[in-house]
Amino acid sequence: MAEEQKITAEEDEIVIDITKLFKALWQRAWIIVLAALLGCSAAYLGTKTFVQPTYRATFTAYVNNKSSDEGTTTVTNSDLTAAQSLVYTYTHILTSRTMLLAAAEEIGADYTYADMSQWVTTSVVDDTEIIEVRVTMESPEEALALAEAIAAMMPIYVTEIVEGSSVQIIDLPVLPESIYAPSYIKNALIGGVLCAFLAAAVIILLELLDDTVKEEETLEQRFGVTVIGVIPDLASADKFTSHYGYGSYGQKAETKSSVGGKLVKNK
Protein backbone atom coordinates (compact mmCIF):
# COMPACT_ATOMS: atom_id res chain seq x y z
CA MET A 1 0.00 0.00 0.00
CA ALA A 2 2.77 2.41 0.90
CA GLU A 3 4.61 1.51 -2.30
CA GLU A 4 1.50 2.23 -4.39
CA GLN A 5 1.10 5.64 -2.75
CA LYS A 6 4.76 6.41 -3.48
CA ILE A 7 4.32 5.50 -7.16
CA THR A 8 1.18 7.64 -7.38
CA ALA A 9 2.97 10.61 -5.81
CA GLU A 10 5.82 10.25 -8.29
CA GLU A 11 3.38 10.13 -11.19
CA ASP A 12 1.54 13.23 -9.95
CA GLU A 13 4.74 15.22 -9.51
CA ILE A 14 5.06 18.07 -11.99
CA VAL A 15 8.56 18.88 -13.18
CA ILE A 16 9.10 22.27 -14.81
CA ASP A 17 11.98 22.41 -17.24
CA ILE A 18 13.35 25.95 -17.03
CA THR A 19 15.51 25.45 -20.09
CA LYS A 20 12.47 24.40 -22.08
CA LEU A 21 10.58 27.51 -20.98
CA PHE A 22 13.46 29.79 -21.96
CA LYS A 23 13.65 28.04 -25.30
CA ALA A 24 9.94 28.60 -25.87
CA LEU A 25 10.34 32.29 -24.98
CA TRP A 26 13.32 32.64 -27.31
CA GLN A 27 11.49 30.99 -30.20
CA ARG A 28 8.55 33.37 -29.72
CA ALA A 29 10.58 36.45 -28.86
CA TRP A 30 9.04 38.29 -31.81
CA ILE A 31 5.64 37.99 -30.15
CA ILE A 32 6.99 39.57 -26.97
CA VAL A 33 8.64 42.40 -28.92
CA LEU A 34 5.46 43.00 -30.92
CA ALA A 35 3.36 43.05 -27.72
CA ALA A 36 5.79 45.56 -26.17
CA LEU A 37 5.56 47.86 -29.21
CA LEU A 38 1.77 47.65 -29.25
CA GLY A 39 1.65 48.31 -25.50
CA CYS A 40 3.88 51.38 -25.86
CA SER A 41 1.76 52.76 -28.68
CA ALA A 42 -1.53 52.10 -26.90
CA ALA A 43 -0.33 53.65 -23.62
CA TYR A 44 1.06 56.71 -25.37
CA LEU A 45 -2.06 57.31 -27.47
CA GLY A 46 -4.35 56.60 -24.52
CA THR A 47 -2.50 59.06 -22.30
CA LYS A 48 -2.43 61.65 -25.07
CA THR A 49 -6.15 61.27 -25.76
CA PHE A 50 -7.82 60.69 -22.40
CA VAL A 51 -5.52 62.23 -19.75
CA GLN A 52 -5.69 65.97 -19.23
CA PRO A 53 -2.19 67.50 -18.81
CA THR A 54 -1.44 69.61 -15.74
CA TYR A 55 1.01 72.45 -15.10
CA ARG A 56 2.77 73.40 -11.86
CA ALA A 57 3.78 76.83 -10.54
CA THR A 58 5.97 76.92 -7.43
CA PHE A 59 7.50 79.43 -5.05
CA THR A 60 9.57 79.20 -1.88
CA ALA A 61 9.46 81.18 1.35
CA TYR A 62 11.72 81.52 4.38
CA VAL A 63 10.23 81.36 7.88
CA ASN A 64 11.71 83.27 10.80
CA ASN A 65 10.52 83.06 14.38
CA LYS A 66 11.22 86.78 14.87
CA SER A 67 9.31 89.67 13.48
CA SER A 68 11.03 91.63 10.71
CA ASP A 69 10.69 94.89 12.68
CA GLU A 70 12.59 93.69 15.76
CA GLY A 71 15.81 95.13 14.34
CA THR A 72 18.13 92.25 15.35
CA THR A 73 20.49 90.58 12.90
CA THR A 74 21.86 87.76 15.05
CA VAL A 75 20.39 84.27 14.77
CA THR A 76 20.93 81.73 17.56
CA ASN A 77 20.43 77.98 17.59
CA SER A 78 17.26 78.41 19.60
CA ASP A 79 15.96 80.76 16.90
CA LEU A 80 16.62 78.15 14.21
CA THR A 81 14.92 75.44 16.26
CA ALA A 82 11.90 77.62 16.85
CA ALA A 83 11.77 78.55 13.15
CA GLN A 84 11.88 74.88 12.11
CA SER A 85 8.98 74.10 14.38
CA LEU A 86 7.05 77.02 12.88
CA VAL A 87 7.58 75.72 9.36
CA TYR A 88 5.14 72.84 9.85
CA THR A 89 2.63 75.20 11.43
CA TYR A 90 2.85 77.47 8.39
CA THR A 91 2.29 74.59 5.96
CA HIS A 92 -1.04 73.83 7.62
CA ILE A 93 -2.04 77.48 7.66
CA LEU A 94 -1.27 77.87 3.95
CA THR A 95 -3.63 75.03 3.02
CA SER A 96 -6.42 76.12 5.36
CA ARG A 97 -9.87 76.88 4.01
CA THR A 98 -9.70 80.59 4.90
CA MET A 99 -6.33 81.08 3.23
CA LEU A 100 -7.17 79.31 -0.02
CA LEU A 101 -10.62 80.90 -0.43
CA ALA A 102 -9.10 84.32 0.25
CA ALA A 103 -6.51 83.71 -2.49
CA ALA A 104 -9.24 82.64 -4.93
CA GLU A 105 -11.24 85.77 -4.12
CA GLU A 106 -8.12 87.89 -4.66
CA ILE A 107 -7.89 86.77 -8.31
CA GLY A 108 -11.66 86.74 -8.84
CA ALA A 109 -11.93 82.98 -9.33
CA ASP A 110 -14.85 80.84 -8.22
CA TYR A 111 -12.89 77.83 -6.94
CA THR A 112 -14.16 75.41 -4.34
CA TYR A 113 -12.07 74.49 -1.32
CA ALA A 114 -12.25 70.79 -2.25
CA ASP A 115 -10.57 71.49 -5.59
CA MET A 116 -8.03 73.93 -4.20
CA SER A 117 -6.96 71.56 -1.45
CA GLN A 118 -5.91 69.17 -4.22
CA TRP A 119 -4.23 71.85 -6.33
CA VAL A 120 -2.16 73.48 -3.56
CA THR A 121 0.46 71.41 -1.75
CA THR A 122 3.33 72.37 0.55
CA SER A 123 6.50 70.75 1.84
CA VAL A 124 9.52 71.58 3.95
CA VAL A 125 12.83 71.66 2.06
CA ASP A 126 15.26 69.20 3.68
CA ASP A 127 14.39 70.03 7.32
CA THR A 128 15.19 73.70 6.86
CA GLU A 129 13.17 76.82 7.52
CA ILE A 130 12.17 76.99 3.84
CA ILE A 131 8.67 76.14 2.61
CA GLU A 132 7.96 75.15 -0.98
CA VAL A 133 4.42 75.87 -2.18
CA ARG A 134 3.20 74.11 -5.34
CA VAL A 135 0.08 74.92 -7.36
CA THR A 136 -0.82 72.26 -9.94
CA MET A 137 -3.69 72.98 -12.34
CA GLU A 138 -4.81 72.18 -15.88
CA SER A 139 -4.18 75.76 -17.02
CA PRO A 140 -0.66 77.20 -16.65
CA GLU A 141 -2.04 80.75 -16.47
CA GLU A 142 -4.47 79.88 -13.68
CA ALA A 143 -1.75 78.02 -11.79
CA LEU A 144 0.50 81.08 -11.98
CA ALA A 145 -2.25 83.47 -10.91
CA LEU A 146 -3.20 81.40 -7.88
CA ALA A 147 0.44 80.92 -6.87
CA GLU A 148 1.09 84.65 -7.12
CA ALA A 149 -1.98 85.40 -4.98
CA ILE A 150 -0.86 82.97 -2.26
CA ALA A 151 2.70 84.35 -2.35
CA ALA A 152 1.43 87.92 -1.97
CA MET A 153 -0.94 87.09 0.91
CA MET A 154 1.30 84.66 2.77
CA PRO A 155 3.61 87.13 4.63
CA ILE A 156 0.66 89.19 5.85
CA TYR A 157 -1.92 86.48 6.53
CA VAL A 158 0.37 84.01 8.28
CA THR A 159 2.15 86.52 10.50
CA GLU A 160 -1.21 87.83 11.70
CA ILE A 161 -1.99 84.38 13.05
CA VAL A 162 1.49 83.55 14.37
CA GLU A 163 2.57 86.69 16.22
CA GLY A 164 6.23 87.57 16.52
CA SER A 165 7.28 85.81 13.33
CA SER A 166 7.95 86.77 9.74
CA VAL A 167 7.91 85.24 6.25
CA GLN A 168 10.03 86.27 3.28
CA ILE A 169 9.45 85.08 -0.27
CA ILE A 170 12.64 83.65 -1.79
CA ASP A 171 11.61 82.66 -5.33
CA LEU A 172 8.49 84.08 -6.93
CA PRO A 173 6.33 81.80 -9.11
CA VAL A 174 6.83 81.85 -12.89
CA LEU A 175 4.65 80.71 -15.76
CA PRO A 176 5.16 76.95 -16.27
CA GLU A 177 6.29 76.24 -19.83
CA SER A 178 6.26 72.45 -19.80
CA ILE A 179 3.70 69.84 -18.77
CA TYR A 180 4.11 68.58 -15.22
CA ALA A 181 1.97 65.48 -15.62
CA PRO A 182 1.40 63.03 -17.12
CA SER A 183 4.72 61.77 -18.47
CA TYR A 184 3.98 60.36 -21.92
CA ILE A 185 7.32 58.53 -22.17
CA LYS A 186 6.97 57.00 -18.70
CA ASN A 187 3.42 55.78 -19.39
CA ALA A 188 4.47 54.39 -22.78
CA LEU A 189 7.34 52.45 -21.19
CA ILE A 190 5.06 51.10 -18.47
CA GLY A 191 2.52 49.98 -21.07
CA GLY A 192 5.22 48.28 -23.13
CA VAL A 193 6.69 46.44 -20.15
CA LEU A 194 3.27 45.26 -18.95
CA CYS A 195 2.29 43.97 -22.38
CA ALA A 196 5.67 42.23 -22.78
CA PHE A 197 5.25 40.50 -19.40
CA LEU A 198 1.68 39.52 -20.32
CA ALA A 199 2.81 38.01 -23.63
CA ALA A 200 5.63 36.12 -21.89
CA ALA A 201 3.22 34.83 -19.24
CA VAL A 202 0.82 33.55 -21.92
CA ILE A 203 3.66 31.81 -23.76
CA ILE A 204 4.85 30.14 -20.55
CA LEU A 205 1.31 29.11 -19.62
CA LEU A 206 0.67 27.54 -23.03
CA GLU A 207 4.00 25.74 -22.83
CA LEU A 208 3.17 24.33 -19.40
CA LEU A 209 -0.29 23.20 -20.51
CA ASP A 210 1.10 21.51 -23.63
CA ASP A 211 1.30 17.80 -22.72
CA THR A 212 2.20 16.52 -26.18
CA VAL A 213 5.46 14.59 -26.59
CA LYS A 214 7.79 16.17 -29.13
CA GLU A 215 11.18 14.75 -28.16
CA GLU A 216 12.57 11.36 -27.16
CA GLU A 217 13.99 12.83 -23.97
CA THR A 218 10.47 13.75 -22.86
CA LEU A 219 9.42 10.07 -22.90
CA GLU A 220 12.46 9.03 -20.92
CA GLN A 221 12.03 11.79 -18.34
CA ARG A 222 8.25 11.49 -17.93
CA PHE A 223 7.70 7.73 -18.13
CA GLY A 224 11.16 6.29 -17.51
CA VAL A 225 11.19 4.24 -20.71
CA THR A 226 13.96 3.89 -23.31
CA VAL A 227 13.15 4.68 -26.92
CA ILE A 228 14.29 1.81 -29.20
CA GLY A 229 12.92 3.09 -32.51
CA VAL A 230 11.33 6.01 -34.29
CA ILE A 231 8.66 5.81 -36.99
CA PRO A 232 9.35 8.39 -39.71
CA ASP A 233 6.63 10.71 -40.90
CA LEU A 234 6.06 9.32 -44.39
CA ALA A 235 3.28 11.76 -45.12
CA SER A 236 5.66 14.69 -45.01
CA ALA A 237 8.65 12.96 -46.65
CA ASP A 238 9.92 14.11 -50.04
CA LYS A 239 9.19 11.53 -52.72
CA PHE A 240 12.13 12.58 -54.84
CA THR A 241 14.80 12.30 -52.12
CA SER A 242 16.61 9.26 -50.86
CA HIS A 243 15.54 9.74 -47.23
CA TYR A 244 12.30 7.76 -47.27
CA GLY A 245 10.75 5.68 -50.08
CA TYR A 246 7.20 4.51 -50.63
CA GLY A 247 8.15 1.06 -51.97
CA SER A 248 9.00 -2.07 -50.02
CA TYR A 249 12.33 -3.72 -49.27
CA GLY A 250 14.24 -0.48 -49.80
CA GLN A 251 12.96 0.05 -53.38
CA LYS A 252 11.34 3.29 -54.39
CA ALA A 253 7.70 3.23 -55.34
CA GLU A 254 6.67 3.77 -58.92
CA THR A 255 5.50 7.21 -59.84
CA LYS A 256 3.56 8.36 -62.86
CA SER A 257 4.07 11.53 -64.80
CA SER A 258 2.44 12.98 -67.89
CA VAL A 259 4.61 13.70 -70.94
CA GLY A 260 2.96 14.86 -74.12
CA GLY A 261 -0.42 13.80 -72.88
CA LYS A 262 0.70 10.19 -72.26
CA LEU A 263 1.23 8.52 -68.91
CA VAL A 264 4.81 7.36 -68.44
CA LYS A 265 5.90 5.14 -65.56
CA ASN A 266 9.05 6.18 -63.73
CA LYS A 267 11.01 3.88 -61.44
Side-chain angles (χ1 to χ4, degrees):
M1 185 66 179
E3 184 178 355
E4 292 180 358
Q5 292 179 352
K6 181 179 180 181
I7 294 175
T8 304
E10 292 178 354
E11 291 178 352
D12 294 340
E13 183 180 359
I14 299 176
V15 179
I16 299 177
D17 190 349
I18 303 298
T19 305
K20 185 179 179 182
L21 295 180
F22 276 110
K23 183 178 179 180
L25 291 174
W26 178 255
Q27 291 175 346
R28 298 169 178 83
W30 65 273
I31 299 178
I32 300 176
V33 174
L34 180 60
L37 293 177
L38 292 176
C40 287
S41 301
Y44 180 84
L45 293 177
T47 303
K48 194 81 173 178
T49 305
F50 299 105
V51 180
Q52 180 68 34
T54 58
Y55 300 84
R56 171 169 286 185
T58 63
F59 69 91
T60 55
Y62 173 75
V63 176
N64 191 357
N65 70 316
K66 292 184 177 181
S67 176
S68 58
D69 57 359
E70 290 184 7
T72 179
T73 58
T74 59
V75 178
T76 63
N77 290 332
S78 60
D79 293 333
L80 293 176
T81 303
Q84 288 179 354
S85 63
L86 282 177
V87 166
Y88 296 97
T89 303
Y90 279 33
T91 57
H92 290 286
I93 296 175
L94 285 175
T95 56
S96 64
R97 180 187 300 272
T98 305
M99 177 69 183
L100 294 181
L101 293 180
E105 184 180 357
E106 182 69 19
I107 60 176
D110 188 17
Y111 300 142
T112 63
Y113 172 72
D115 291 334
M116 297 181 69
S117 61
Q118 297 179 358
W119 298 338
V120 181
T121 57
T122 60
S123 64
V124 179
V125 179
D126 297 332
D127 295 330
T128 63
E129 300 82 40
I130 299 176
I131 300 176
E132 183 181 58
V133 182
R134 302 176 294 269
V135 180
T136 307
M137 302 178 68
E138 296 179 356
S139 171
E141 292 79 11
E142 293 183 4
L144 175 61
L146 184 57
E148 289 178 338
I150 296 176
M153 296 178 58
M154 179 179 177
I156 302 174
Y157 182 81
V158 176
T159 53
E160 288 180 354
I161 298 177
V162 183
E163 297 180 357
S165 63
S166 62
V167 176
Q168 296 179 354
I169 303 299
I170 301 175
D171 291 324
L172 292 172
V174 296
L175 181 67
E177 298 179 354
S178 59
I179 297 175
Y180 171 73
S183 175
Y184 298 114
I185 297 178
K186 179 180 178 181
N187 288 359
L189 291 177
I190 293 176
V193 171
L194 290 178
C195 288
F197 272 113
L198 180 61
V202 172
I203 292 173
I204 293 175
L205 181 61
L206 293 178
E207 186 68 22
L208 293 176
L209 294 178
D210 185 8
D211 57 355
T212 59
V213 177
K214 300 182 179 65
E215 300 175 351
E216 300 174 13
E217 292 79 3
T218 306
L219 288 175
E220 297 177 358
Q221 294 175 358
R222 184 175 298 179
F223 302 103
V225 297
T226 302
V227 179
I228 60 176
V230 179
I231 301 175
D233 187 4
L234 300 179
S236 61
D238 189 354
K239 298 180 181 180
F240 300 101
T241 62
S242 59
H243 295 293
Y244 301 107
Y246 286 84
S248 59
Y249 302 99
Q251 297 180 353
K252 294 181 179 179
E254 294 182 349
T255 60
K256 295 180 180 182
S257 61
S258 176
V259 179
K262 299 181 179 180
L263 293 177
V264 180
K265 293 184 179 181
N266 299 324
K267 295 186 178 180

